[in-house]
Amino acid sequence: MELFQLTRARDVRDAIEAGAASRTAQQGAEVRFLAGGTTLLDLMKLNVERPARVVDISRLPLNSVEASADGGVKIGATVRNADLAHHPLIRDAYPVLSQALLAGASAQLRNMATTGGNLLQRTRCVYFRDTAMACNKREPGSGCAAIGGFNRTLAILGVSDACIASNPSDMNVALTALEATIHIAGTRGERQVAIDEFFLLPGTTPQRETVVEPGDLITHVTLPPPASGSRSVYLKLRDRASYEFALASAAVIVTVADGRISHVRVALGGVGTKPWRSREAEAALVSQAPDAAVFARAAAAALADARPQSQNGFKVELAQRCLVHALKLASAAA
Ligand SMILES: Cc1cc2nc3c(=O)[nH]c(=O)nc-3n(C[C@H](O)[C@H](O)[C@H](O)COP(=O)(O)OP(=O)(O)OC[C@H]3O[C@@H](n4cnc5c(N)ncnc54)[C@H](O)[C@@H]3O)c2cc1C
Ligand code: SF4
């Protein structure tokens, strides 16, 4: 395995060209970018990822958080999760993002993990990480050991007959509620992708998780200005209070004006094969008074299409309760 280290702004082009040599940017890529390494190195040790070349991008000058002219914020791809969570611009204007980041992993991991790496972290499905087991995501066409196997922690929304793996990130749920835009530099120039279009449903090709192509380097993420008068909350439910992935989580952004919900964004984590924006819940909430019955209707709408497996049926009610409580917290503060 060859390791390349890049440090200067002009090295971005070298990173892209190195990555473009890969047949795929998804599972089985011959060239991998290394940021914090907290996903990649684990998977290399497990023999799940076997890149021939690793390009260290962690020292590229993509590590700033800046206010943008439109009142939003620009977050560099190599900004560490801890630095982002504690940045005054994020803490003050986007508390849902700060809370989501701080709910993830451990202090040591957050010191290493980056914005770009967190976006592209892989599922924690145990069969994906075990090369002795059938897994369509790791080995297309080999089957899915989780369907009918240990699936307690896996997804109930957006699942297919090929894969039920959940997206494990907390940060991605907050970024989805915040309607983030992902900025990508690739062999054909730069492009921007709305976060809701960045992640792909598994369908028949679960090995393909995002729109990222060989050579694509995430350079930064932008957030629009915070909705005027809004309050936001990230609530994460898990088996233990820290150092654990979500069984269900909710990121909500709510504005209450004249006793009615005038603006709301809802995203769920732990239950979807991708960070799950619930437009159904939003539609049930907007223009309504923020009360328990309305929250319950919104939560029912959010989970209406759930397809639980043998062990994770409990997630339907857990996610509903999580969303109801997050909405209560966000609107009580308003
Ligand atoms: C024990 C443990 C517990 C955890 N708990 C949680 C948790 O509770 N919640 C949670 O959200 N996360 C959790 N995580 C996951 C952690 O947040 C991710 O591993 C981390 O965010 C990945 O970031 P990284 O910079 O280390 O990525 P890396 O491992 O460096 O990279 C991950 C992937 O992204 C690619 N990549 C990285 N940067 C770029 C870029 N700029 N452009 C293109 N491709 C890029 C890499 O090639 C690689 O494929 C946990 C991890 C561990 C090990
Ligand atoms: S759920 Fe997806 S990741 Fe897990 S074994 Fe099945 S195909 Fe693999």
Side-chain angles (χ1 to χ4, degrees):
M1 196 268 300
E2 292 177 290
L3 174 67
F4 296 87
Q5 206 163 72
L6 305 175
T7 54
R8 297 160 305 176
R10 67 171 191 264
D11 289 341
V12 165
R13 188 52 35 201
D14 293 345
I16 293 166
E17 278 164 19
S22 215
R23 184 179 43 85
T24 167
Q26 316 280 329
Q27 188 58 36
E30 298 89 344
V31 182
R32 278 272 179 229
F33 297 137
L34 176 77
T38 62
T39 284
L40 183 64
L41 295 183
D42 265 13
L43 293 176
M44 286 172 69
K45 286 183 214 162
L46 293 168
N47 220 18
V48 170
E49 293 272 13
R50 293 183 293 270
R53 297 170 85 189
V54 172
V55 181
D56 181 355
I57 59 166
S58 64
R59 292 174 180 78
L60 287 177
L62 299 171
N63 62 346
S64 60
V65 180
E66 298 160 29
S68 33
D70 67 353
V73 69
K74 176 181 172 187
I75 302 162
T78 60
V79 173
R80 307 282 174 179
N81 286 180
D83 294 336
L84 186 59
H86 295 295
H87 196 284
L89 275 176
I90 303 301
R91 237 182 19 217
D92 297 345
Y94 304 96
V96 67
L97 177 55
S98 184
Q99 290 166 21
L101 286 160
L102 293 174
S106 64
Q108 291 92 333
L109 282 157
R110 294 193 294 269
N111 285 339
M112 289 303 293
T114 63
T115 309
N118 198 326
L119 274 167
L120 294 175
Q121 67 171 287
R122 311 302 303 277
T123 182
R124 308 305 289 196
C125 173
V126 291
Y127 303 109
F128 173 71
R129 298 166 70 84
D130 182 346
T131 55
M133 304 304 293
C135 171
N136 287 324
K137 189 183 280 298
R138 179 171 32 75
E139 202 63 54
S142 63
C144 172
I147 297 175
F150 177 74
N151 51 48
R152 177 177 175 274
T153 59
L154 300 183
I156 54 175
L157 289 167
V159 297
S160 74
D161 292 341
C163 180
I164 56 169
S166 42
N167 184 294
S169 169
D170 294 296
M171 181 192 82
N172 292 346
V173 184
L175 290 182
T176 298
L178 289 165
E179 300 182 300
T181 301
I182 318 300
H183 297 251
I184 298 170
T187 49
R188 283 168 292 161
E190 295 175 10
R191 67 189 201 279
Q192 307 177 4
V193 184
I195 191 157
D196 220 22
E197 284 151 31
F198 181 77
F199 295 100
L200 303 174
L201 292 171
T204 54
T205 53
Q207 72 278 13
R208 190 166 162 73
E209 295 174 346
T210 67
V211 297
V212 168
E213 300 284 350
D216 277 353
L217 180 76
I218 297 171
T219 54
H220 57 282
V221 172
T222 51
L223 301 180
S228 161
S230 66
R231 300 290 173 101
S232 66
V233 166
Y234 184 73
L235 182 64
K236 176 177 181 179
L237 304 182
R238 47 191 155 170
D239 280 332
R240 59 182 177 195
S242 97
Y243 204 37
E244 187 55 276
F245 291 89
L247 289 168
S249 71
V252 300
I253 303 167
V254 182
T255 309
V256 179
D258 301 326
R260 302 262 157 194
I261 297 170
S262 57
H263 173 272
V264 62
R265 293 290 177 267
V266 172
L268 300 175
V271 287
T273 49
K274 62 182 220 171
W276 201 260
R277 170 92 179 260
S278 180
R279 288 188 170 76
E280 296 80 3
E282 292 168 11
L285 290 162
V286 80
S287 306
Q288 303 297 315
D291 62 35
V294 168
F295 295 163
R297 275 202 298 278
L303 275 298
D305 292 334
R307 261 180 66 192
Q309 306 296 320
S310 53
Q311 299 177 339
N312 65 4
F314 73 96
K315 282 194 175 193
V316 176
E317 186 174 347
L318 190 73
Q320 288 178 344
R321 286 176 177 237
C322 183
L323 177 54
V324 166
H325 198 60
L327 288 165
K328 208 186 229 173
L329 292 173
S331 54

